[in-house]
Amino acid sequence: MNNQRGLDKEHAILKKLMTNGEYEYITQIVQDSSNEYWLGIRNDSVMLYYMGGKILEIDADGGLSLDRNYVLRLGETVDFDLDKMTLEDWKRNEGMLRKAVQCFQTGEYENPSFKADKHLERISEQEFMMQNNRLNSDWYLIDMEYSVEGLGYGRFDMIGLSKKKGPDGKHKLALIELKSGILAIKGRLEYDKKEKNKLKNFGSGVAGHIVNYFNFLHSPDGTKNVERLAEEVSTMISNYHALGLNMDIPQIYKTDISCEPGQVKCLLVISDLCNNKEKISALKTVKHYLFEDEDDKTIAKDNAEVNWEKVKVFNKNASSFAEDYSKLNMKIYLCNDERNIQEKEARKLNLEELKEWIKELKTE
Protein backbone atom coordinates (compact mmCIF):
# COMPACT_ATOMS: atom_id res chain seq x y z
CA MET A 1 0.00 0.00 0.00
CA ASN A 2 1.38 3.43 -0.98
CA ASN A 3 1.47 5.61 2.13
CA GLN A 4 0.64 9.28 1.87
CA ARG A 5 2.15 9.54 5.36
CA GLY A 6 5.29 7.72 6.44
CA LEU A 7 8.40 6.52 4.63
CA ASP A 8 9.71 3.06 3.82
CA LYS A 9 12.44 2.09 6.30
CA GLU A 10 15.00 2.07 3.47
CA HIS A 11 13.97 5.50 2.16
CA ALA A 12 16.93 7.75 1.30
CA ILE A 13 15.55 10.68 3.32
CA LEU A 14 15.47 8.63 6.51
CA LYS A 15 19.11 7.72 6.04
CA LYS A 16 20.05 11.36 5.43
CA LEU A 17 18.32 12.35 8.69
CA MET A 18 19.90 9.61 10.80
CA THR A 19 23.11 9.91 12.83
CA ASN A 20 26.03 10.85 10.57
CA GLY A 21 23.61 11.53 7.72
CA GLU A 22 23.68 14.66 5.57
CA TYR A 23 20.73 16.19 7.42
CA GLU A 24 21.41 14.92 10.93
CA TYR A 25 21.29 18.56 12.10
CA ILE A 26 17.54 18.70 11.43
CA THR A 27 16.85 15.64 13.56
CA GLN A 28 19.08 17.04 16.29
CA ILE A 29 17.26 20.37 16.55
CA VAL A 30 13.93 18.56 16.78
CA GLN A 31 15.35 16.53 19.67
CA ASP A 32 16.87 19.57 21.36
CA SER A 33 13.93 21.94 20.73
CA SER A 34 11.01 19.55 20.97
CA ASN A 35 8.80 22.33 22.30
CA GLU A 36 9.37 24.39 19.13
CA TYR A 37 9.89 22.09 16.15
CA TRP A 38 7.81 19.18 14.92
CA LEU A 39 8.74 16.79 12.11
CA GLY A 40 5.98 15.78 9.71
CA ILE A 41 6.30 12.95 7.19
CA ARG A 42 4.14 12.91 4.07
CA ASN A 43 4.16 12.38 0.31
CA ASP A 44 7.74 11.04 0.22
CA SER A 45 8.93 14.21 1.93
CA VAL A 46 9.84 15.39 5.42
CA MET A 47 8.55 18.73 6.70
CA LEU A 48 9.89 20.72 9.62
CA TYR A 49 7.17 22.77 11.32
CA TYR A 50 7.52 25.84 13.51
CA MET A 51 4.45 27.54 15.01
CA GLY A 52 2.32 25.40 12.71
CA GLY A 53 4.11 26.66 9.58
CA LYS A 54 6.35 24.63 7.28
CA ILE A 55 9.76 26.20 7.79
CA LEU A 56 11.62 23.55 5.78
CA GLU A 57 10.82 20.69 3.40
CA ILE A 58 13.14 17.89 2.31
CA ASP A 59 11.83 16.23 -0.85
CA ALA A 60 12.30 12.66 -2.05
CA ASP A 61 15.54 13.56 -3.81
CA GLY A 62 16.97 15.32 -0.78
CA GLY A 63 16.32 18.83 -2.10
CA LEU A 64 15.52 21.59 0.39
CA SER A 65 12.77 24.18 0.03
CA LEU A 66 10.47 26.44 2.01
CA ASP A 67 7.40 28.57 1.40
CA ARG A 68 8.97 31.66 -0.18
CA ASN A 69 5.91 33.72 0.86
CA TYR A 70 7.22 33.70 4.42
CA VAL A 71 10.41 35.48 3.39
CA LEU A 72 8.90 37.73 0.72
CA ARG A 73 6.22 39.05 3.07
CA LEU A 74 8.76 39.74 5.77
CA GLY A 75 10.68 41.90 3.32
CA GLU A 76 14.07 40.61 4.42
CA THR A 77 17.00 40.42 2.01
CA VAL A 78 18.40 36.91 1.82
CA ASP A 79 21.94 35.98 0.86
CA PHE A 80 21.02 32.74 -0.89
CA ASP A 81 18.94 31.51 -3.81
CA LEU A 82 15.52 30.44 -2.51
CA ASP A 83 15.28 27.94 -5.37
CA LYS A 84 18.68 26.35 -4.61
CA MET A 85 18.81 26.43 -0.83
CA THR A 86 21.41 24.37 1.01
CA LEU A 87 21.34 23.23 4.62
CA GLU A 88 24.09 25.74 5.40
CA ASP A 89 21.91 28.51 3.94
CA TRP A 90 19.03 27.42 6.14
CA LYS A 91 21.17 27.15 9.29
CA ARG A 92 22.70 30.57 8.72
CA ASN A 93 19.24 32.16 8.33
CA GLU A 94 17.31 30.07 10.85
CA GLY A 95 16.56 33.04 13.12
CA MET A 96 15.22 35.14 10.27
CA LEU A 97 13.13 32.24 8.96
CA ARG A 98 11.60 31.68 12.40
CA LYS A 99 10.67 35.36 12.51
CA ALA A 100 9.18 35.11 9.02
CA VAL A 101 6.97 32.16 9.98
CA GLN A 102 5.92 33.83 13.24
CA CYS A 103 4.85 37.02 11.45
CA PHE A 104 2.98 35.03 8.79
CA GLN A 105 1.11 32.88 11.32
CA THR A 106 0.22 35.69 13.73
CA GLY A 107 -0.38 38.31 11.04
CA GLU A 108 1.74 40.74 13.05
CA TYR A 109 4.43 42.54 11.05
CA GLU A 110 6.67 45.42 12.09
CA ASN A 111 5.18 47.55 9.33
CA PRO A 112 1.76 48.53 10.80
CA SER A 113 0.39 49.33 7.35
CA PHE A 114 0.87 45.72 6.21
CA LYS A 115 -2.35 43.81 6.78
CA ALA A 116 -2.22 40.03 6.79
CA ASP A 117 -4.45 37.09 7.68
CA LYS A 118 -3.85 35.27 10.94
CA HIS A 119 -3.33 31.51 11.16
CA LEU A 120 -3.63 31.13 14.91
CA GLU A 121 -5.35 27.74 14.77
CA ARG A 122 -2.29 26.27 13.05
CA ILE A 123 -0.17 27.53 15.94
CA SER A 124 -2.60 25.96 18.41
CA GLU A 125 -2.53 22.62 16.58
CA GLN A 126 1.23 22.24 16.89
CA GLU A 127 1.26 23.45 20.51
CA PHE A 128 -1.56 21.06 21.36
CA MET A 129 0.13 18.07 19.76
CA MET A 130 3.47 18.65 21.43
CA GLN A 131 2.09 19.45 24.88
CA ASN A 132 -0.45 16.62 24.83
CA ASN A 133 2.14 13.93 24.16
CA ARG A 134 4.26 15.07 27.09
CA LEU A 135 1.39 15.20 29.56
CA ASN A 136 -0.86 12.61 31.17
CA SER A 137 -3.21 12.37 28.20
CA ASP A 138 -5.26 9.36 27.13
CA TRP A 139 -4.23 9.82 23.50
CA TYR A 140 -1.01 9.97 21.50
CA LEU A 141 -1.26 12.67 18.84
CA ILE A 142 0.55 11.43 15.73
CA ASP A 143 -0.09 13.83 12.86
CA MET A 144 -1.73 17.14 11.99
CA GLU A 145 -3.51 18.48 8.91
CA TYR A 146 -4.39 15.00 7.64
CA SER A 147 -6.34 14.87 4.38
CA VAL A 148 -7.39 12.38 1.75
CA GLU A 149 -8.18 13.71 -1.71
CA GLY A 150 -11.85 13.78 -2.65
CA LEU A 151 -13.44 13.15 0.75
CA GLY A 152 -14.54 16.68 1.57
CA TYR A 153 -12.95 20.10 1.61
CA GLY A 154 -11.07 20.43 4.85
CA ARG A 155 -8.61 18.37 6.82
CA PHE A 156 -8.67 16.54 10.11
CA ASP A 157 -6.64 18.81 12.35
CA MET A 158 -4.99 15.98 14.26
CA ILE A 159 -4.81 12.19 14.26
CA GLY A 160 -4.86 10.46 17.64
CA LEU A 161 -4.14 6.94 18.84
CA SER A 162 -5.38 5.69 22.21
CA LYS A 163 -2.65 4.93 24.74
CA LYS A 164 -4.60 2.01 26.17
CA LYS A 165 -5.97 -0.94 24.25
CA GLY A 166 -9.69 -1.60 24.21
CA PRO A 167 -11.48 -4.84 25.20
CA ASP A 168 -10.60 -6.22 21.76
CA GLY A 169 -6.89 -5.78 22.49
CA LYS A 170 -6.54 -2.98 19.93
CA HIS A 171 -5.57 0.69 20.09
CA LYS A 172 -8.24 3.05 18.76
CA LEU A 173 -7.79 5.83 16.20
CA ALA A 174 -9.22 9.31 16.62
CA LEU A 175 -10.02 12.00 14.05
CA ILE A 176 -9.70 15.28 15.94
CA GLU A 177 -10.93 18.76 15.10
CA LEU A 178 -9.45 21.54 17.20
CA LYS A 179 -11.42 24.76 17.52
CA SER A 180 -9.70 27.68 19.22
CA GLY A 181 -12.48 29.71 20.80
CA ILE A 182 -16.16 30.11 20.00
CA LEU A 183 -15.90 31.87 16.64
CA ALA A 184 -14.11 28.88 15.09
CA ILE A 185 -17.14 26.66 15.77
CA LYS A 186 -19.53 28.72 13.69
CA GLY A 187 -20.39 28.14 10.07
CA ARG A 188 -23.52 26.96 8.31
CA LEU A 189 -23.51 23.71 6.41
CA GLU A 190 -22.76 24.91 2.89
CA TYR A 191 -21.86 23.34 -0.42
CA ASP A 192 -19.64 25.20 -2.85
CA LYS A 193 -19.82 23.68 -6.32
CA LYS A 194 -16.32 24.98 -6.93
CA GLU A 195 -13.75 22.51 -5.75
CA LYS A 196 -10.42 23.44 -4.20
CA ASN A 197 -7.56 20.99 -4.63
CA LYS A 198 -10.15 18.43 -5.83
CA LEU A 199 -11.89 18.58 -2.44
CA LYS A 200 -15.57 19.45 -2.01
CA ASN A 201 -16.50 22.22 0.38
CA PHE A 202 -19.26 21.72 2.98
CA GLY A 203 -18.07 24.59 5.17
CA SER A 204 -15.40 24.98 7.83
CA GLY A 205 -17.70 25.02 10.87
CA VAL A 206 -18.56 22.09 13.10
CA ALA A 207 -21.42 21.01 10.78
CA GLY A 208 -19.08 20.77 7.78
CA HIS A 209 -16.71 18.58 9.80
CA ILE A 210 -19.53 16.11 10.42
CA VAL A 211 -19.76 15.60 6.65
CA ASN A 212 -16.02 14.95 6.47
CA TYR A 213 -16.18 12.43 9.32
CA PHE A 214 -19.08 10.61 7.70
CA ASN A 215 -17.48 10.53 4.24
CA PHE A 216 -14.18 9.24 5.58
CA LEU A 217 -15.63 6.51 7.78
CA HIS A 218 -18.91 5.45 6.21
CA SER A 219 -18.54 5.79 2.47
CA PRO A 220 -18.08 2.49 0.56
CA ASP A 221 -14.33 3.01 1.02
CA GLY A 222 -14.61 3.64 4.78
CA THR A 223 -12.84 0.48 5.90
CA LYS A 224 -10.10 1.01 3.32
CA ASN A 225 -9.65 4.59 4.54
CA VAL A 226 -9.22 3.44 8.14
CA GLU A 227 -6.86 0.62 7.17
CA ARG A 228 -4.72 3.09 5.22
CA LEU A 229 -4.69 5.50 8.17
CA ALA A 230 -3.70 2.73 10.60
CA GLU A 231 -0.82 1.73 8.33
CA GLU A 232 0.30 5.34 7.97
CA VAL A 233 0.20 5.90 11.73
CA SER A 234 2.25 2.77 12.38
CA THR A 235 4.77 3.73 9.69
CA MET A 236 5.18 7.28 11.02
CA ILE A 237 5.80 5.95 14.52
CA SER A 238 8.43 3.58 13.09
CA ASN A 239 10.04 6.49 11.24
CA TYR A 240 10.23 8.57 14.41
CA HIS A 241 11.85 5.72 16.31
CA ALA A 242 14.36 5.11 13.51
CA LEU A 243 15.39 8.76 13.83
CA GLY A 244 15.58 8.63 17.61
CA LEU A 245 12.49 10.86 17.85
CA ASN A 246 10.18 8.68 19.90
CA MET A 247 7.85 11.65 20.48
CA ASP A 248 6.99 9.98 23.81
CA ILE A 249 5.16 7.32 21.76
CA PRO A 250 6.08 3.60 21.92
CA GLN A 251 6.24 1.51 18.76
CA ILE A 252 2.73 0.42 17.80
CA TYR A 253 2.09 -1.72 14.71
CA LYS A 254 -0.90 -1.80 12.38
CA THR A 255 -1.93 -5.19 13.76
CA ASP A 256 -2.31 -3.48 17.16
CA ILE A 257 -4.76 -0.88 15.79
CA SER A 258 -8.50 -1.37 15.26
CA CYS A 259 -9.48 -0.78 11.61
CA GLU A 260 -13.25 -0.87 12.15
CA PRO A 261 -14.79 2.49 11.13
CA GLY A 262 -17.27 2.32 14.02
CA GLN A 263 -14.38 2.13 16.50
CA VAL A 264 -12.77 5.37 15.29
CA LYS A 265 -13.37 8.25 17.69
CA CYS A 266 -14.52 11.54 16.16
CA LEU A 267 -13.45 14.14 18.68
CA LEU A 268 -14.31 17.84 18.72
CA VAL A 269 -11.84 19.67 20.97
CA ILE A 270 -12.57 23.28 21.93
CA SER A 271 -9.73 25.23 23.51
CA ASP A 272 -9.11 28.74 24.86
CA LEU A 273 -12.25 28.86 27.00
CA CYS A 274 -11.41 30.89 30.10
CA ASN A 275 -14.47 30.35 32.31
CA ASN A 276 -17.86 28.63 32.58
CA LYS A 277 -19.58 31.47 30.73
CA GLU A 278 -17.40 30.87 27.69
CA LYS A 279 -17.85 27.08 27.98
CA ILE A 280 -21.63 27.50 28.03
CA SER A 281 -21.48 29.78 25.00
CA ALA A 282 -19.33 27.24 23.14
CA LEU A 283 -21.70 24.36 23.91
CA LYS A 284 -24.72 26.42 22.85
CA THR A 285 -22.98 27.27 19.59
CA VAL A 286 -22.25 23.62 18.87
CA LYS A 287 -25.89 22.77 19.62
CA HIS A 288 -27.03 25.61 17.38
CA TYR A 289 -25.21 24.31 14.30
CA LEU A 290 -25.89 20.60 14.74
CA PHE A 291 -29.27 19.86 16.27
CA GLU A 292 -32.89 20.92 16.18
CA ASP A 293 -33.88 21.85 19.72
CA GLU A 294 -37.59 22.14 20.58
CA ASP A 295 -36.63 24.61 23.30
CA ASP A 296 -34.88 26.91 20.83
CA LYS A 297 -36.88 27.65 17.69
CA THR A 298 -34.47 30.31 16.43
CA ILE A 299 -31.91 27.90 15.04
CA ALA A 300 -33.84 25.74 12.57
CA LYS A 301 -32.53 27.41 9.41
CA ASP A 302 -28.87 27.08 10.45
CA ASN A 303 -28.35 23.61 11.84
CA ALA A 304 -27.08 20.50 10.13
CA GLU A 305 -30.17 18.49 10.94
CA VAL A 306 -32.22 20.81 8.72
CA ASN A 307 -29.57 21.37 6.07
CA TRP A 308 -28.54 17.73 5.64
CA GLU A 309 -30.64 17.67 2.48
CA LYS A 310 -27.83 19.70 0.88
CA VAL A 311 -25.43 16.89 1.64
CA LYS A 312 -27.71 14.27 0.13
CA VAL A 313 -27.82 16.13 -3.18
CA PHE A 314 -24.05 15.86 -3.61
CA ASN A 315 -23.26 12.79 -1.53
CA LYS A 316 -24.91 9.56 -2.62
CA ASN A 317 -23.79 7.89 0.62
CA ALA A 318 -25.82 10.24 2.82
CA SER A 319 -29.25 9.29 4.17
CA SER A 320 -30.72 11.45 6.94
CA PHE A 321 -28.77 13.46 9.49
CA ALA A 322 -30.07 11.38 12.41
CA GLU A 323 -29.24 8.07 10.73
CA ASP A 324 -25.83 9.12 9.43
CA TYR A 325 -24.82 10.93 12.63
CA SER A 326 -25.71 7.88 14.73
CA LYS A 327 -22.97 5.94 12.92
CA LEU A 328 -20.30 8.34 14.21
CA ASN A 329 -18.57 7.78 17.53
CA MET A 330 -18.72 11.51 18.32
CA LYS A 331 -17.42 13.13 21.51
CA ILE A 332 -16.76 16.70 22.58
CA TYR A 333 -13.98 17.87 24.87
CA LEU A 334 -13.38 21.26 26.45
CA CYS A 335 -9.64 21.24 27.07
CA ASN A 336 -7.84 22.71 30.03
CA ASP A 337 -4.91 25.09 29.93
CA GLU A 338 -2.48 22.16 29.79
CA ARG A 339 -3.86 21.13 26.40
CA ASN A 340 -4.17 17.43 26.96
CA ILE A 341 -7.09 15.12 26.29
CA GLN A 342 -8.61 13.23 29.22
CA GLU A 343 -11.09 10.62 28.02
CA LYS A 344 -13.13 10.69 31.24
CA GLU A 345 -13.84 14.40 30.69
CA ALA A 346 -14.98 14.00 27.08
CA ARG A 347 -18.73 13.65 26.58
CA LYS A 348 -20.91 12.16 23.90
CA LEU A 349 -21.84 14.81 21.38
CA ASN A 350 -25.62 14.67 21.24
CA LEU A 351 -28.42 17.11 22.03
CA GLU A 352 -29.34 15.63 25.42
CA GLU A 353 -25.74 15.60 26.65
CA LEU A 354 -25.12 19.18 25.52
CA LYS A 355 -28.24 20.45 27.30
CA GLU A 356 -27.34 18.59 30.49
CA TRP A 357 -23.75 19.88 30.39
CA ILE A 358 -24.97 23.46 29.99
CA LYS A 359 -27.23 23.04 33.04
CA GLU A 360 -24.33 21.70 35.11
CA LEU A 361 -22.07 24.60 34.18
CA LYS A 362 -24.78 27.11 35.10
CA THR A 363 -25.05 25.69 38.60
CA GLU A 364 -21.30 25.58 39.33
Side-chain angles (χ1 to χ4, degrees):
M1 186 180 292
N2 182 28
N3 282 328
Q4 182 183 16
R5 258 66 170 175
L7 300 170
D8 182 88
K9 63 181 180 180
E10 298 298 325
H11 201 289
I13 294 180
L14 280 183
K15 294 181 178 179
K16 289 177 182 289
L17 287 164
M18 289 179 182
T19 303
N20 299 322
E22 182 181 353
Y23 298 140
E24 178 189 7
Y25 174 79
I26 301 301
T27 307
Q28 192 62 53
I29 63 171
V30 175
Q31 289 176 322
D32 296 343
S33 305
S34 59
N35 61 328
E36 295 182 341
Y37 289 120
W38 178 74
L39 203 68
I41 303 172
R42 57 202 55 164
N43 295 331
D44 277 338
S45 299
V46 169
M47 286 81 165
L48 183 67
Y49 287 88
Y50 173 70
M51 296 185 71
K54 187 172 61 178
I55 196 171
L56 179 67
E57 178 175 350
I58 308 173
D59 66 25
D61 297 320
L64 304 183
S65 63
L66 53 80
D67 188 337
R68 59 195 305 120
N69 285 326
Y70 293 147
V71 178
L72 297 176
R73 291 194 181 194
L74 188 63
E76 293 276 356
T77 301
V78 296
D79 60 357
F80 64 94
D81 187 339
L82 287 171
D83 296 320
K84 298 179 180 179
M85 184 173 59
T86 67
L87 182 59
E88 290 304 315
D89 292 332
W90 190 90
K91 290 166 64 175
R92 190 173 61 253
N93 291 275
E94 183 179 352
M96 180 273 290
L97 294 173
R98 285 162 60 103
K99 179 182 178 182
V101 173
Q102 178 180 346
C103 291
F104 185 88
Q105 297 294 72
T106 63
E108 297 175 357
Y109 287 85
E110 292 178 358
N111 183 350
S113 65
F114 187 80
K115 299 185 182 298
D117 293 333
K118 298 181 179 181
H119 305 88
L120 301 182
E121 195 164 290
R122 295 289 180 86
I123 298 175
S124 294
E125 285 174 20
Q126 183 171 337
E127 287 179 348
F128 201 103
M129 283 191 59
M130 301 175 86
Q131 290 182 29
N132 176 88
N133 287 351
R134 290 195 297 268
L135 296 170
N136 185 29
S137 168
D138 293 321
W139 294 87
Y140 300 116
L141 299 185
I142 311 295
D143 193 23
M144 62 182 185
E145 294 298 308
Y146 181 88
S147 64
V148 176
E149 188 176 282
L151 293 180
Y153 175 52
R155 297 173 170 85
F156 301 120
D157 289 335
M158 296 177 287
I159 299 298
L161 188 66
S162 64
K163 290 185 177 180
K164 295 181 179 179
K165 294 181 179 180
D168 60 354
K170 304 280 188 179
H171 294 275
K172 303 298 186 289
L173 291 162
L175 307 176
I176 302 171
E177 285 298 330
L178 175 65
K179 295 298 181 183
S180 300
I182 298 166
L183 290 178
I185 306 168
K186 296 183 177 182
R188 293 184 64 182
L189 185 58
E190 303 285 352
Y191 180 80
D192 186 352
K193 291 184 179 180
K194 295 180 181 179
E195 295 187 352
K196 183 177 180 180
N197 298 328
K198 298 183 180 180
L199 301 176
K200 295 181 176 64
N201 182 8
F202 287 96
S204 60
V206 60
H209 293 315
I210 299 301
V211 183
N212 290 338
Y213 284 139
F214 180 78
N215 281 347
F216 185 84
L217 296 171
H218 297 291
S219 69
D221 291 330
T223 299
K224 184 169 68 175
N225 291 336
V226 178
E227 289 179 346
R228 177 180 56 242
L229 176 57
E231 183 170 334
E232 290 173 324
V233 165
S234 175
T235 302
M236 282 188 287
I237 294 173
S238 295
N239 291 164
Y240 291 138
H241 279 264
L243 296 173
L245 303 173
N246 62 35
M247 305 293 195
D248 298 308
I249 304 170
Q251 180 61 64
I252 297 173
Y253 298 99
K254 180 184 176 183
T255 53
D256 299 318
I257 302 172
S258 173
C259 294
E260 295 182 19
Q263 292 292 315
V264 177
K265 188 88 66 178
C266 301
L267 188 60
L268 175 66
V269 176
I270 308 176
S271 65
D272 302 322
L273 303 175
C274 299
N275 50 51
N276 278 6
K277 182 177 179 181
E278 291 188 358
K279 291 179 181 179
I280 290 171
S281 181
L283 294 176
K284 285 184 175 180
T285 303
V286 171
K287 180 167 67 75
H288 178 112
Y289 284 100
L290 287 187
F291 306 109
E292 277 195 280
D293 183 1
E294 293 182 356
D295 299 324
D296 186 353
K297 295 296 185 181
T298 65
I299 67 171
K301 66 179 181 180
D302 283 339
N303 67 55
E305 204 157 15
V306 169
N307 287 284
W308 203 251
E309 294 300 316
K310 295 179 182 177
V311 178
K312 291 169 64 176
V313 172
F314 300 101
N315 184 354
K316 296 179 180 179
N317 303 313
S319 181
S320 68
F321 176 81
E323 181 178 343
D324 295 340
Y325 188 83
S326 67
K327 297 178 182 178
L328 298 177
N329 187 3
M330 284 290 308
K331 284 201 171 184
I332 181 171
Y333 181 74
L334 306 182
C335 76
N336 55 29
D337 293 337
E338 290 187 321
R339 295 176 182 265
N340 65 330
I341 302 174
Q342 298 290 335
E343 181 66 21
K344 64 182 180 182
E345 297 177 13
R347 303 209 184 184
K348 290 183 178 180
L349 183 47
N350 58 45
L351 178 60
E352 293 72 23
E353 191 69 38
L354 287 174
K355 293 169 75 171
E356 183 61 32
W357 201 352
I358 291 170
K359 287 181 182 178
E360 291 175 12
L361 290 171
K362 286 181 177 179
T363 59
E364 289 183 0

